Amino acid sequence: MANGSRHATAVTAGALVLLGALTSCGTESGSGAGDPSPRPSASAGRPAGESPHSAVPSDAAGSTNDRSPTSAGHTDRPASRCRTAELSAAVGRMDPGAGQRNFPVVLTNVSSRTCTLYGHPGAAFVDAAGERLGRDPERAPGDPATVTLRPGASAWAGLRYASPGVSGARTATPAALLVTPPDERNPLKVPWKAGPVPVSGNASSVFLTALQPGTGP
């Protein structure tokens, strides 16, 4: 019996030693159920939920999306027509032709904005009392085009009529030429210093061309 007891005790002790060894291996590998300290992850040192690139704004270096207030959605407004109050008028030097007298009627943008002119200006010769002399100038044939005037820029229309000495038309000497910008009602008054103009009789018509860029030929 003594030998049997010693044998049983030895088997039990061996089993305990083997169980201890297995338990020790599980603890060292970190896979044991009672491991209180998990391994640190690659995101250690960042707040929870922050990606590795969250410190760099999505539209930082390399982005072409300009969101600055001065450029986002900015478009140039189209220019509107020039008003009478934004213009000055002048009559240029006479350019004599074959039996004709030709003058550039110049409109200049004196405002601080860009505006446009299109078509023929209106015109009328008047005496010192403001009464009209003869018929208003007629529109000369041609294709009008929009003229864009930046501040200080000018457009001109050609005023022409047959020389009274050639046509034999009755004449009068105007005190001024009234020039009305296209689509406007209020005229600009320009002193007339070019002598008599035809007001009646044969070949007394006065013609005015459409506006074009510049101050004349």
Side-chain angles (χ1 to χ4, degrees):
M1 290 293 294
N3 288 336
S5 296
R6 285 196 296 269
H7 178 73
T9 299
V11 170
T12 300
L16 290 175
V17 171
L18 178 61
L19 178 62
L22 292 174
T23 301
S24 176
C25 290
T27 301
E28 290 177 359
S29 65
S31 60
D35 185 1
S37 56
R39 295 178 181 178
S41 68
S43 60
R46 291 191 301 271
E50 182 174 332
S51 70
H53 303 291
S54 61
V56 181
S58 60
D59 58 347
S63 171
T64 58
N65 182 21
D66 186 355
R67 300 181 183 178
S68 62
T70 57
S71 60
H74 176 73
T75 57
D76 293 333
R77 296 176 58 188
S80 59
R81 81 169 188 265
C82 301
R83 306 289 180 169
T84 298
E86 298 174 311
L87 300 167
S88 67
V91 176
R93 186 174 58 185
M94 182 181 68
D95 178 24
Q100 284 192 331
R101 294 182 179 179
N102 305 284
F103 301 86
V105 177
V106 182
L107 294 174
T108 300
N109 182 3
V110 295
S111 74
S112 59
R113 74 179 186 96
T114 297
C115 59
T116 61
L117 294 172
Y118 176 83
H120 297 73
F125 291 111
V126 296
D127 61 17
E131 297 294 328
R132 296 197 177 193
L133 299 173
R135 294 175 297 179
D136 293 347
E138 301 177 19
R139 293 182 175 183
D143 296 324
T146 299
V147 180
T148 300
L149 297 183
R150 295 184 180 276
S154 301
W156 71 281
L159 177 74
R160 73 172 187 264
Y161 53 86
S163 175
V166 175
S167 68
R170 187 169 67 85
T171 65
T173 301
L177 176 68
L178 301 182
V179 181
T180 306
D183 300 317
E184 290 290 296
R185 293 182 178 273
N186 299 321
L188 297 163
K189 188 175 183 179
V190 184
W192 183 260
K193 300 179 180 180
V197 300
V199 294
S200 67
N202 296 331
S204 62
S205 295
V206 179
F207 295 93
L208 199 59
T209 67
L211 288 159
Q212 55 188 305
T215 57

